[in-house]
Amino acid sequence: MTLSREQLSIASVEVVDPATDAPVNLRSASDEDLARLLQADRKDALVELMRRFKDPLMSYIFRYIGSMNVAQDVLQEVFIRMYQKRDTYKSCARFSTWLFTIAGNYCRSELRRPWTRFSRPLTWKPDAGDEEYLPLVDGEPMPDRVADNAFKYRYIQKALVQLPPNYREAVILCDVQEFSYEEIAEITGVSEGTVKSRIFRGRTMLRDLLKDIYD
């Protein structure tokens, strides 16, 4: 379910909400309104949701699994499941929480595969294209800063994949995706107390692994 630039640009037009007959601008619509349109089988709502969540989901999946190649495959599967399971979404919940729950479940299943679980921590190296998800700030950074940030980014990712998967997931959801404890508990299927414990332990382990570049 890979979309071209042309397909992704389609979702900038107004459509008519079949439930209210009112016009809806897809780019300004809430995630929840788009989910409701998706449940009415509006393909343009599907395109807009994929455009909107492609980068956040890829960031989460890549950091969680540690391989860009695997993450790209997982992202496609998550979007397929989003469409297939669209009728299970309930409007009382945030759509992003529901979608990341699907992504988290798929990532956990992927990590249970022997080739994924045992090839990761000690042998991980960044895949080609990882720099696409390097978070740079301040507009146009100087080349030496880009190189320094790229080095730190790879070091941080290498440290992340050495954390136990449940700690890694909690830290990514909290510190990268900025979900609340309550939302992380819903995504991971554990209590808020367990979420807080995993985040604390994960951050502590991460600080120990990164002390060489931040001391």
Side-chain angles (χ1 to χ4, degrees):
M1 194 178 285
T2 302
L3 298 178
S4 66
R5 290 181 181 272
E6 290 75 14
Q7 288 173 308
L8 289 174
S9 67
I10 291 174
S12 61
V13 300
E14 282 194 344
V15 300
V16 174
D17 187 335
T20 63
D21 289 330
V24 177
N25 186 295
L26 296 177
R27 287 296 172 92
S28 60
S30 69
D31 298 338
E32 292 71 29
D33 284 342
L34 289 172
R36 184 162 48 80
L37 289 170
L38 180 61
Q39 290 174 334
D41 212 21
R42 293 298 304 251
K43 298 301 191 298
D44 36 18
L46 171 64
V47 171
E48 172 61 16
L49 285 169
M50 292 175 69
R51 185 199 67 80
R52 193 173 291 189
F53 282 98
K54 175 181 177 291
D55 287 344
L57 279 173
M58 177 58 83
S59 175
Y60 165 61
I61 295 167
F62 166 63
R63 285 178 168 88
Y64 193 176
I65 291 179
S67 165
M68 184 61 70
N69 290 332
V70 176
Q72 289 171 341
D73 292 339
V74 170
L75 178 66
Q76 297 304 315
E77 290 298 327
V78 170
F79 281 140
I80 290 171
R81 293 189 182 193
M82 176 184 75
Y83 179 72
Q84 292 174 336
K85 295 176 177 288
R86 62 192 183 280
D87 290 334
T88 68
Y89 169 70
K90 305 299 181 185
S91 58
C92 59
R94 281 183 64 193
F95 180 79
S96 59
T97 304
W98 178 83
L99 183 57
F100 272 79
T101 300
I102 293 176
N105 288 338
Y106 200 95
C107 286
R108 286 187 286 276
S109 296
E110 191 67 30
L111 286 174
R112 285 195 288 270
R113 296 173 184 266
W115 69 269
T116 304
R117 187 168 70 249
F118 297 118
S119 67
R120 210 39 66 212
L122 297 180
T123 61
W124 180 86
K125 292 181 180 179
D127 295 322
D130 288 356
E131 286 78 4
E132 179 181 353
Y133 295 93
L134 173 62
L136 296 177
V137 295
D138 296 340
E140 297 293 334
M142 297 297 290
D144 57 341
R145 182 175 177 183
V146 172
D148 182 59
N149 283 344
F151 168 77
K152 289 181 178 178
Y153 174 80
R154 295 189 184 100
Y155 204 99
I156 290 169
Q157 180 60 25
K158 188 173 182 179
L160 269 174
V161 296
Q162 293 182 67
L163 300 181
N166 53 358
Y167 295 175
R168 181 164 71 244
E169 179 183 25
V171 169
I172 294 168
L173 288 171
C174 181
D175 295 338
V176 179
Q177 300 299 330
E178 299 183 339
F179 282 105
S180 67
Y181 293 145
E182 181 181 3
E183 290 169 329
I184 297 171
E186 184 175 345
I187 291 169
T188 58
V190 299
S191 69
E192 287 188 45
T194 300
V195 166
K196 293 176 183 178
S197 175
R198 289 179 179 180
I199 292 171
F200 174 78
R201 293 175 183 271
R203 285 172 175 168
T204 300
M205 294 177 67
L206 200 57
R207 278 196 296 269
D208 289 341
L209 290 167
L210 296 174
K211 61 184 179 182
D212 290 342
I213 65 171
Y214 287 110
D215 281 352

